[in-house]
Every structure is written in structure tokens, then in C-alpha cells.
Amino acid sequence: LLNPGLLGTAADFRERFAVPVEKLGDKEKAQQLRRMIQPFVLRRTKNDPAIAGDLPEKMEMKVYCNLSAEQAALYERITAEMLGQIDAATGIRRRGLILAALTRLKQICDHPVLIEGDNAPSDPASLEKRSGKGERILEMLEEVVQEGDAALVFTQYREMGHLLEKMIQARLNVATQFLHGGTTARQRDAMIDRFQD
């Protein structure tokens, strides 16, 4: 896009760089490629002196959550349904069903509303009780708010983000900013400024 022809055709690139670097571990070819594309690639790491001072030290902590009774029942039901369909399928259809099952099970572990849709009651105060993750994240955020700190929460599903907004507002009475793929650049910049302030 930036410099058409710089790396040759796809076949040339595969022969000249992809195979030697990926399959043969040719460090010299990797360095050559890196030098060629370096002017076009901005890659920053947390160790970069320009930004290292802005980032807090990374902390990782595993937190285990139990499924609510509703989640566990839904998990069992979906597992049984999907296993029956998977057993009856073959080939690419079978693979597709397995991926679909995994997605649905992940959604159940987030919140049953993601599977049940609009048919489920969505009273913000009762939403957290229906999800082990929902209850735990609110407990964690309660500690953050009490300390006067801020937090970023990531979720894979946009609808879960909307549920989190409702749950946080109901329990913590804290305004949230929900940045997702549909957020415009102007909205995103305003949200980032509010968060930073």
C-alpha cells in the first residue's frame, strides 16, 4: 500500500522471505526484511523510553468465578444440544459446530443474557446476580472506586459491554465510557480525554 513492489509479488515474497524466515529460521533474511519495512512500521513496546514512564507495572492475577445456577443449567443444556449436533455432523460442518459451541459456552460464562437475548429480564440491579463474572467484576470495581482509582475493563462481546455499563451504574453509581468498534474517532478521543482527567 505504501510502496507497491517493495517486497515483490506474493510468490517472490514467499520465496525470498517467508520460507527462509518462517521455515528455515534465517536470521539474516529476517533482519533484511526488518530493515526494508522499518520506515513503514511503528511498533512501540512498553519498554520504549518514550512511553515507559507513562505505563504502570503490569500485574496479572487469576480470579476464579463460579457460574450462577442459571449459567450452570444453561451451560449443561447447550452442551448437550451441541454435542448431539456435533456427533451427527462431519467435515467442515462439524468444525463449524464446534466453534459455534465454544462461542456460545464462552458467552454463557460471561452472562446468560448473551444467549437468552431480550427474553431474559434485564433489571440492572438483578443482572449481576445472574453471572458469577458479573458479581466478581463488580466487587473488584467497587474496590477500585473506593481507592479513587480508575480501571479499564475489556470484553470480547459488545453486548456484554452494554450489560456491564448497566450493572456498574446500578451498583456503583459510576459513569462509564464504553469504547467499541462503532465508536467514532471524535467520541473515542473525548472518552480518552475524560478517562485521563
Side-chain angles (χ1 to χ4, degrees), residues 66-85:
N66 293 321
L67 297 175
S68 68
E70 179 185 5
Q71 283 175 297
L74 193 54
Y75 195 98
E76 288 290 324
R77 191 186 90 217
I78 296 296
T79 301
E81 285 174 11
M82 295 304 288
L83 284 176
Q85 292 177 26

Side-chain angles (χ1 to χ4, degrees), residues 30-94:
Q31 282 297 334
Q32 181 185 1
L33 176 61
R34 191 172 290 116
R35 282 191 305 272
M36 289 174 75
I37 64 170
Q38 195 273 330
F40 308 106
V41 177
L42 173 62
R43 180 165 186 250
R44 297 171 69 179
T45 66
K46 69 177 187 173
N47 297 329
D48 185 337
I51 61 168
D54 295 341
L55 295 174
E57 197 59 39
K58 180 179 179 180
M59 293 184 344
E60 287 188 35
M61 175 177 57
K62 287 185 182 178
V63 178
Y64 296 94
C65 307
N66 293 321
L67 297 175
S68 68
E70 179 185 5
Q71 283 175 297
L74 193 54
Y75 195 98
E76 288 290 324
R77 191 186 90 217
I78 296 296
T79 301
E81 285 174 11
M82 295 304 288
L83 284 176
Q85 292 177 26
I86 290 167
D87 287 342
T90 58
I92 193 76
R93 174 156 168 66
R94 180 182 171 89

Side-chain angles (χ1 to χ4, degrees), residues 16-190:
R16 190 170 162 203
F17 294 110
V19 171
V21 172
E22 294 174 3
K23 294 196 175 166
L24 305 175
D26 187 332
K27 293 187 186 323
E28 197 173 301
K29 284 287 184 185
Q31 282 297 334
Q32 181 185 1
L33 176 61
R34 191 172 290 116
R35 282 191 305 272
M36 289 174 75
I37 64 170
Q38 195 273 330
F40 308 106
V41 177
L42 173 62
R43 180 165 186 250
R44 297 171 69 179
T45 66
K46 69 177 187 173
N47 297 329
D48 185 337
I51 61 168
D54 295 341
L55 295 174
E57 197 59 39
K58 180 179 179 180
M59 293 184 344
E60 287 188 35
M61 175 177 57
K62 287 185 182 178
V63 178
Y64 296 94
C65 307
N66 293 321
L67 297 175
S68 68
E70 179 185 5
Q71 283 175 297
L74 193 54
Y75 195 98
E76 288 290 324
R77 191 186 90 217
I78 296 296
T79 301
E81 285 174 11
M82 295 304 288
L83 284 176
Q85 292 177 26
I86 290 167
D87 287 342
T90 58
I92 193 76
R93 174 156 168 66
R94 180 182 171 89
R95 286 190 213 158
L97 287 170
I98 291 169
L99 290 174
L102 290 172
T103 298
R104 293 182 78 193
L105 294 176
K106 283 171 35 180
Q107 288 174 318
I108 291 167
C109 291
D110 274 356
H111 204 289
V113 168
L114 298 179
I115 293 294
E116 295 177 341
D118 295 331
N119 300 332
S122 59
D123 170 37
S126 67
L127 279 173
E128 70 180 86
K129 294 177 181 76
R130 299 175 61 201
S131 166
K133 270 188 185 180
E135 284 185 290
R136 184 62 185 119
I137 189 104
L138 289 171
E139 290 168 3
M140 293 170 75
L141 290 174
E142 209 164 36
E143 293 173 22
V144 168
V145 170
Q146 287 172 355
E147 294 294 320
D149 289 332
L152 294 174
V153 178
F154 295 88
T155 180
Q156 185 174 359
Y157 304 106
R158 186 173 178 171
E159 183 58 30
M160 185 63 185
H162 291 300
L163 292 172
L164 285 169
E165 279 186 301
K166 291 177 187 176
M167 291 189 288
I168 292 167
Q169 180 62 43
R171 177 155 167 186
L172 304 176
N173 197 27
V174 173
T176 60
Q177 299 177 76
F178 181 33
L179 195 148
H180 52 79
T183 306
T184 66
R186 179 186 283 170
Q187 291 169 326
R188 182 190 64 233
D189 291 344

